[in-house]
Amino acid sequence: MTNIQKSGRTIHVHRNQRHAFWDHSVEPIDTIQSGEIVEFDLFDSAGGQFGPTSTVEDVAKLDFALVDHVNGPIYVEGAEPGDTLEVEIVDLQPATWGWTAVIPGFGLLADEFTEPALKIWQLEDGADGWAEFAPGIRIPLAPFCGEIGLAPAAPGPHSTIPPYRHGGNMDTKHLTKGAHLYLPIEVQGALYSMGDGHAAQGDGEVCGTAIEAPMHATVRLTVRKDIQVQEPQFLTSGPLTVRTNTAPYYGTDGIGPDPAEATRNAVRHMIDHLVRTYGLSRNDAYMLCSVVVDLKLCEVVDMPNWLVAALLPLSIFS
């Protein structure tokens, strides 16, 4: 166990203390008591391959072997299979910059967006600040971490790209400061890791990237033997999306028997709306959808068709 700094009973995990897979054979970097706090310094989801001066040419150089690494794991004393780990999000502080990209072969509409695009953001005023997408379009920051999870009981390695019952790449934008996440423990010590800092994201993250940003994350890890969860559950810190839910929304629907295709159609229609109404390029409209547009299941019982809506908060436009 090297490069660990302790201040009282706060463990500090450095950004280079990371691993590429969920695997219970990964040695923990430190051990804490239930209820103690851990601080993480995290790379962005690209593992430091982008920076404030990156250009679209850097997207083609992206090494996917370095994408979505997680930092940890932390062994929690007293955690046993069948228990629940309560993760309290104590604080989240993004860096002063972030990025959003269209990465060929990645995202909901990968077949339609085959050329790379990159947006470098300047993030103002920390966690409660703003990021300007274009003149007249300002995004309120709502930091969270996309990757939060525990080691699985099944022998590894397991990719960090999808979500699992033990957590993983959940990309749940409501896990902001003050939220509580409950994860089922599958191995002794729980073996908690996290990563993939996001400064803001729409529900669905349709192009596959949010405002990706390095993050300083502080969490409290508590073993709960009084409750059991089969898959992740969470308690938000308050009403959903309070910083964007201040004005009307514009919605576009996708309807059909295949929920995935209905979702794609809802997003296609929203991209068309943004291009037509606000003069955005299709790439910029797609990235803006990933950052602020929320996908909602509006109808799931009147078969054969599903109805999915893409909701655009008009509060981002001045």
Side-chain angles (χ1 to χ4, degrees), residues 64-307:
F64 271 85
L66 300 177
V67 168
D68 274 348
H69 285 197
V70 289
N71 288 59
I74 295 294
Y75 186 104
V76 185
E77 288 281 6
E80 301 287 347
D83 295 341
T84 294
L85 188 72
E86 179 179 359
V87 182
E88 178 187 355
I89 311 298
V90 176
D91 194 32
L92 294 162
Q93 293 295 329
T96 58
W97 68 278
W99 62 271
T100 304
V102 175
I103 301 172
F106 197 59
L108 184 69
L109 302 179
D111 292 344
E112 300 170 33
F113 288 83
T114 58
E115 296 298 319
L118 180 68
K119 164 71 178 177
I120 299 295
W121 305 77
Q122 301 304 311
L123 309 182
E124 304 173 9
D125 301 324
D128 296 321
W130 299 82
E132 185 177 77
F133 182 78
I137 306 177
R138 297 183 76 221
I139 313 300
L141 303 187
F144 70 99
C145 285
E147 293 267 11
I148 303 180
L150 310 180
H158 301 270
S159 170
T160 57
I161 298 301
Y164 304 92
R165 70 176 297 272
H166 54 85
N169 196 13
M170 297 185 292
D171 283 331
T172 301
K173 75 172 192 174
H174 307 301
L175 297 178
T176 54
K177 178 180 177 179
H180 294 248
L181 173 65
Y182 304 91
L183 296 172
I185 296 172
E186 295 189 3
V187 299
Q188 188 172 3
L191 298 179
Y192 174 88
S193 300
M194 68 187 306
D196 187 23
H198 293 174
Q201 181 202 286
D203 273 332
E205 195 190 28
V206 295
C207 85
T209 58
I211 301 182
E212 312 287 332
M215 190 77 65
H216 183 86
T218 305
V219 298
R220 185 188 305 276
L221 305 178
T222 303
V223 177
R224 296 290 301 271
K225 295 183 178 293
D226 57 324
I227 58 174
Q228 287 77 43
V229 297
Q230 297 302 310
E231 294 182 302
Q233 300 182 13
F234 61 93
L235 173 69
T236 71
S237 61
L240 300 182
T241 59
V242 291
R243 300 192 69 205
T244 52
N245 191 21
T246 59
Y249 285 73
Y250 189 86
T252 55
D253 287 342
I255 301 170
D258 178 358
E261 189 60 22
T263 302
R264 293 186 189 98
N265 282 334
V267 174
R268 289 177 182 126
H269 301 329
M270 181 56 72
I271 290 169
D272 290 342
H273 171 73
L274 288 167
V275 170
R276 180 178 63 249
T277 306
Y278 299 100
L280 299 180
S281 70
R282 286 187 61 79
N283 274 339
D284 279 353
Y286 189 32
M287 288 190 286
L288 186 61
C289 284
S290 204
V291 170
V292 298
V293 167
D294 290 332
L295 298 177
K296 303 292 184 184
L297 282 175
C298 294
E299 176 53 60
V300 300
V301 298
D302 290 332
M303 295 295 107
N305 289 338
W306 298 66
L307 192 150

Side-chain angles (χ1 to χ4, degrees), residues 6-26:
K6 295 184 180 180
S7 175
R9 281 306 306 167
T10 298
I11 310 301
H12 189 111
V13 180
H14 292 269
R15 60 174 53 189
N16 62 339
Q17 294 175 307
R18 52 186 175 150
H19 52 101
F21 300 97
W22 299 106
D23 190 335
H24 63 242
S25 68
V26 177

